[in-house]
Amino acid sequence: AEIEQLPLASNEHDDYRVAVSRSHQTPETHQHIDELRVTHPNIEIIEQGSSYKFCLLAEGIVDYYIRTSTTSEWDTAAGELILHEAGGVTHSFPNGEPLLYNKESLDNPWFVAKRV
């Protein structure tokens, strides 16, 4: 059976949509969004809870997700895999390293996830 990729590249929209946590926004999140506005002045903020934001990325509904507050491996593992399989990427913020799993500490670094 042939695998059909999610419509990541085909769900285009005019504005640049950035997903943020509904309840865990920080000054660093807002600063990073201000930096994104330099190249994407028409940003629309989408507030969503939990790992649903990874699914919005995989579907192409949003373009970018920034997280600058605490998450654990169990908060991101499934969503990151779904996004990866749809052609998106996740990396730590600000250093750009891949998220690592099965570490001694289950805490994640800050991260960004995005369409490619």
Side-chain angles (χ1 to χ4, degrees), residues 4-80:
E4 183 178 341
Q5 189 174 31
L6 288 172
L8 181 65
S10 65
N11 196 346
E12 297 298 324
H13 36 268
D14 292 333
D15 48 0
Y16 193 69
R17 297 177 181 168
V18 177
V20 296
S21 174
R22 189 174 13 222
S23 56
H24 296 99
Q25 295 182 33
T26 67
E28 292 86 357
T29 297
H30 296 286
Q31 178 183 346
H32 187 68
I33 290 170
D34 288 343
E35 292 167 6
L36 288 173
R37 287 187 197 281
V38 172
T39 54
H40 302 284
N42 58 340
I43 286 178
E44 178 183 351
I45 302 298
I46 308 293
E47 292 183 338
Q48 285 294 329
S50 192
S51 62
Y52 183 61
K53 291 178 284 290
F54 283 103
C55 296
L56 294 175
L57 281 163
E59 287 184 78
I61 294 171
V62 300
D63 304 291
Y64 199 92
Y65 167 27
I66 173 77
R67 181 66 183 245
T68 58
S69 59
T70 305
T71 61
S72 297
E73 291 181 6
W74 58 79
D75 295 314
T76 58
E80 184 181 5

